[in-house]
Amino acid sequence: MGKIVLTADRPTGKLHLGHLVGSLENRIKLQEDKNYSKIFIMLADGQALTDNSKNPEIIRDNIIQVLIDYLSVGLDPDIVTFCIQSQLPALSELNFYYLNLVTTARLERNPTVKTEIEIKKFGKEGLPVGFYTYPISQAADITAFHADVVPVGDDQRPMIEQTREIVQKFNSIYGEVLTMPDGLYPKNAKSSRLVGIDGGTKMSKTVGNCIYISEDEKSLKKKVMSMYTDKDHININDPGKIENNVVFTYLDVFCEDRHFSEYFKDYKNLDEMKEHYKRGGLGDVACKNFLFNILNEKISKYRVSRKKWESKIGDIYDIVLNGTKVAIETTERTISEVKSAMNIDFFTDKTKIVKNWEQCLSV
Ligand code: ATP
Ligand code: MG
């Protein structure tokens, strides 16, 4: 049997370019790869509520947006099983048992959660327990599907590590039941954690520094034109800096040599363009226009596909309903295996339990 893939997104908003290069493009490759027999993609609405308890409607309303994003970029519903986390009770059950395998000290050391706590400004008194423990519920998600591979961005490394520790611990106590997963990360470090258009933290729905996959041409242009470059590059002839210059970070991720013959004939490749910018004589507006053309070309095909799917909401409902039914079956099977390994499968085999209870009384 081929490998199993599980990955998820929080329906906190439409998907952005960070998702595209950080995870979606890897998922699209996997669906063409015969080594993978099953791909599950989950809308993590339960996890999204851990920091959105006061406005749950945002999460509910974005489920359809994220589903349309998936389908627009080319995830194929005939290959991928799409499902909704809140409809899978086995995940909460697994989480219930895994909570005992992790210490609060270990949770405190999770660098992604630490950063997110700071960004979200919960303060000392306002940190929800569900948010603090979400790496454990993520381990429940991954293991419930017996996932071998989890295609994610760099911010998820600590979650994969935490999951691996839980698997190791569970299996050493109860026997080899859970599958040890591996993260699958983009090769390019800049894609693995695409920075936001503000040049600050990673592009993130909650921070609001995103270019969305569904962005229209006008707002895409506005966002690219507002990007940070080099604050000391005031006049066109001033020498410019490439490091931490958001426009060049995006060019590093999205630009290919062929883009020069199409949109910027002055240069053959990005190195030539960078050299000119560094010595002075190349203006920011020209660089931004070039980037705009590249990004617009990339996402314009998704806009067309999005329009098509927007007129088929009933079909999308059926896709996710059928996928969730498959996911319920899969995850229920896992929780049965887990409870059997833990010897708490009280009501599946009366003879076994009665015998066991008789033995307990005889000692
Ligand atoms: P939120 O702000 O609600 O946490 P998000 O923008 O961080 O949303 P998630 O749903 O948390 O998006 O992440 C889904 C997947 O996309 C994860 O695998 C994550 O690693 C990846 N991802 C998210 N943002 C980026 C980014 N800027 N660069 C690369 N990968 C990313
Ligand atoms: Mg996130």
Side-chain angles (χ1 to χ4, degrees):
M1 204 178 95
K3 290 186 175 170
I4 297 172
V5 180
L6 177 273
T7 182
D9 303 284
R10 294 155 36 100
T12 47
K14 293 177 172 183
L15 300 184
H16 52 66
L17 293 182
H19 296 114
L20 188 66
V21 295
S23 174
L24 293 174
E25 287 183 344
N26 262 339
R27 300 181 200 178
I28 291 164
K29 272 188 217 138
L30 294 186
Q31 62 181 8
E32 285 147 21
D33 188 328
K34 296 283 171 271
N35 292 314
Y36 299 89
S37 60
K38 200 91 194 113
I39 302 178
F40 292 97
I41 297 186
M42 188 173 75
L43 288 126
D45 59 337
Q47 193 197 105
L49 283 173
T50 63
D51 55 329
N52 286 283
S53 57
K54 293 198 182 96
N55 33 21
E57 65 290 345
I58 293 183
I59 310 307
R60 211 190 122 95
D61 295 351
N62 273 303
I63 286 186
I64 183 62
Q65 297 286 6
V66 175
L67 280 168
I68 295 182
D69 281 328
Y70 287 156
L71 296 162
S72 310
V73 299
L75 289 169
D76 182 347
D78 288 335
I79 301 176
V80 173
T81 304
F82 297 104
C83 58
I84 300 183
Q85 185 185 38
S86 59
Q87 307 308 300
L88 309 176
L91 304 184
S92 312
E93 248 188 291
L94 280 178
N95 183 42
F96 183 55
Y97 299 116
Y98 293 174
L99 282 167
N100 306 321
L101 302 179
V102 182
T103 62
T104 55
R106 173 66 185 87
L107 278 180
E108 246 165 56
R109 288 200 302 272
N110 186 311
T112 298
V113 176
K114 256 192 207 163
T115 312
E116 288 175 339
I117 288 172
E118 264 168 47
I119 293 172
K120 290 172 201 288
K121 300 192 173 58
F122 290 122
K124 263 212 160 106
E125 305 292 316
L127 176 63
V129 175
F131 187 84
Y132 185 59
T133 57
Y134 89 73
I136 303 176
S137 84
Q138 222 165 292
D141 302 340
I142 295 168
T143 53
F145 290 89
H146 281 293
D148 301 285
V149 177
V150 189
V152 279
D154 194 56
D155 62 312
Q156 294 300 308
R157 277 181 202 274
M159 313 310 168
I160 303 293
E161 207 37 56
Q162 177 71 85
T163 304
R164 291 175 61 88
E165 282 174 30
I166 290 174
V167 169
Q168 200 277 332
K169 204 158 191 176
F170 185 97
N171 286 354
S172 72
I173 300 170
Y174 298 111
E176 292 291 316
V177 175
L178 302 177
T179 305
M180 187 63 85
D182 282 306
L184 177 69
Y185 308 94
K187 291 198 180 69
N188 173 339
K190 285 178 180 161
S191 301
S192 205
R193 189 183 287 258
L194 188 71
V195 74
I197 54 172
D198 55 357
T201 53
K202 82 166 185 77
M203 187 178 280
S204 156
K205 292 182 236 108
T206 343
V207 178
N209 54 3
C210 306
I211 292 178
Y212 296 99
I213 293 169
S214 52
E215 203 80 54
D216 67 48
E217 200 167 318
K218 203 164 148 210
S219 64
L220 174 65
K221 183 120 199 187
K222 204 165 151 207
K223 286 187 177 178
V224 173
M225 289 301 159
S226 75
M227 276 180 174
Y228 285 81
T229 51
D230 168 10
K231 65 176 177 15
D232 299 322
H233 188 240
I234 298 161
N235 298 308
I236 191 162
N237 289 322
D238 291 338
K241 267 209 251 29
I242 303 291
E243 303 79 47
N244 302 323
N245 182 323
V246 183
V247 173
F248 280 95
T249 304
Y250 278 56
L251 285 173
D252 276 334
V253 174
F254 295 100
C255 177
E256 297 163 30
D257 287 354
R258 69 168 180 89
H259 288 131
F260 287 94
S261 57
E262 275 166 66
Y263 305 118
F264 212 176
K265 296 202 169 42
D266 302 15
Y267 311 100
K268 278 200 192 57
N269 54 44
L270 192 54
D271 288 340
E272 270 188 14
M273 180 182 165
K274 282 182 180 170
E275 279 316 308
H276 195 185
Y277 189 83
K278 282 199 265 189
R279 59 174 193 272
L282 172 58
D284 286 332
V285 172
C287 299
K288 287 178 175 179
N289 268 324
F290 180 47
L291 176 61
F292 163 75
N293 282 319
I294 294 171
L295 295 180
N296 195 42
E297 178 195 296
K298 185 152 189 95
I299 64 177
S300 57
K301 57 177 186 289
Y302 304 143
R303 283 188 210 121
V304 177
S305 175
R306 183 168 244 277
K307 274 264 150 326
K308 198 187 77 193
W309 282 107
E310 276 173 358
S311 65
K312 295 189 188 180
I313 302 300
D315 293 354
I316 299 178
Y317 180 89
D318 291 337
I319 288 170
V320 74
L321 167 68
N322 292 330
T324 302
K325 282 183 185 162
V326 174
I328 290 173
E329 255 177 58
T330 309
T331 54
E332 287 298 331
R333 219 177 301 129
T334 307
I335 190 69
S336 297
E337 290 161 9
V338 161
K339 284 168 111 172
S340 158
M342 293 173 78
N343 273 321
I344 54 170
D345 55 339
F346 292 109
F347 303 119
T348 46
D349 183 348
K350 181 173 173 182
T351 322
K352 175 182 137 186
I353 301 299
V354 168
K355 201 166 154 206
N356 178 251
W357 284 353
E358 281 167 354
Q359 274 168 1
C360 291
L361 290 178
S362 68
V363 284

